[in-house]
Amino acid sequence: MRNNESFDPSGHLEIYKIYNDGTEECVFSEANTITSGMGVGLGLLYAGSGSQTMTDYQIRYFQLGTSGDSVVDTYGVGQFHLVSAFGQVTGKVEYGVDTTLPLATHTLLSWNGEAMQDSEGVTDAWVFIVISDNAIKRVDLNSVTYILYVDRNTLNDEVVNEIGLFMENPLALSPKRSNMVAYRPFVNISKTSDFALVFKWTLNF
């Protein structure tokens, strides 16, 4: 953390299309919002009132969604979930039967600490994409970059336009209850098998 009197984390998101021939196309590059969920997780850590396991405070999941265009002009630090995360209706299969993404299902922390219901009225079936160890790169003392790869067989024929990062399980609950710590809606990307997507998300502390 920088040596000053304030703690003001920030972030920057880049999105690339990676075509079959190796060609890369940057389709988005802008700052993102660190949400109040980051403060919730850090508050639990510093107060000693959450999980006693440090890894529960790591950012180990992300979600993709399809209705970020509805909040482009209104979203802010109070955002605690994606507008319309994939997987709520048909579960993991919504990401594609041939996807290679490591997927997990558990609960999502709502603004009041409770488990949030999805569009189907259940709380324990939120689909998260696991962030592997080799996808996390320390840039310097104050920054870390998450390199999130979405293969060519994932979310084809879907419009993707929002993404969120999530802590592991700061309340040490079972099933896990992850909280969103960063969010960004972005330009509509009509996903096809012609390209993979790479999200390079840098957080600065």
Side-chain angles (χ1 to χ4, degrees), residues 7 14 37 71 103 105 127-128 136 140 144 162 164 189:
F7 177 56
E14 297 174 274
V71 296
L103 302 174
T105 56
V127 178
F128 296 86
I136 305 171
D140 54 38
V144 61
E162 59 177 341
I189 298 175

Side-chain angles (χ1 to χ4, degrees), residues 7-55:
F7 177 56
D8 186 23
S10 61
H12 190 273
L13 175 64
E14 297 174 274
I15 306 174
Y16 294 85
K17 289 181 178 179
I18 311 295
Y19 293 93
N20 294 345
D21 62 0
T23 303
E24 297 185 9
E25 177 190 1
C26 183
V27 296
F28 185 84
S29 180
E30 289 189 18
N32 71 267
T33 292
I34 305 298
T35 67
S36 58
M38 179 74 82
V40 169
L42 295 178
L44 290 168
L45 171 63
Y46 297 149
S49 56
S51 174
Q52 299 303 302
T53 304
M54 285 297 298
T55 54

Side-chain angles (χ1 to χ4, degrees), residues 116-134:
M116 182 177 171
Q117 291 186 349
D118 64 17
S119 63
E120 304 303 296
V122 297
T123 61
D124 60 353
W126 290 93
V127 178
F128 296 86
I129 306 167
V130 179
I131 300 175
S132 62
D133 289 340
N134 60 11

Side-chain angles (χ1 to χ4, degrees), residues 127-179:
V127 178
F128 296 86
I129 306 167
V130 179
I131 300 175
S132 62
D133 289 340
N134 60 11
I136 305 171
K137 310 295 182 184
R138 185 171 182 178
V139 179
D140 54 38
L141 289 176
N142 301 318
S143 303
V144 61
T145 295
Y146 299 86
I147 301 175
L148 313 173
Y149 181 78
V150 177
D151 63 83
R152 295 195 302 270
N153 297 320
T154 297
L155 292 174
N156 290 333
D157 302 319
E158 299 284 359
V159 174
V160 186
N161 58 24
E162 59 177 341
I163 187 172
L165 291 177
F166 296 81
M167 272 188 188
E168 175 92 29
N169 186 25
L171 290 172
L173 297 175
S174 181
K176 293 179 181 179
R177 189 171 302 171
S178 294
N179 58 313

Side-chain angles (χ1 to χ4, degrees), residues 182-193:
Y183 174 77
R184 191 62 168 93
F186 49 84
V187 295
N188 286 348
I189 298 175
S190 297
K191 183 66 175 62
T192 74
S193 60

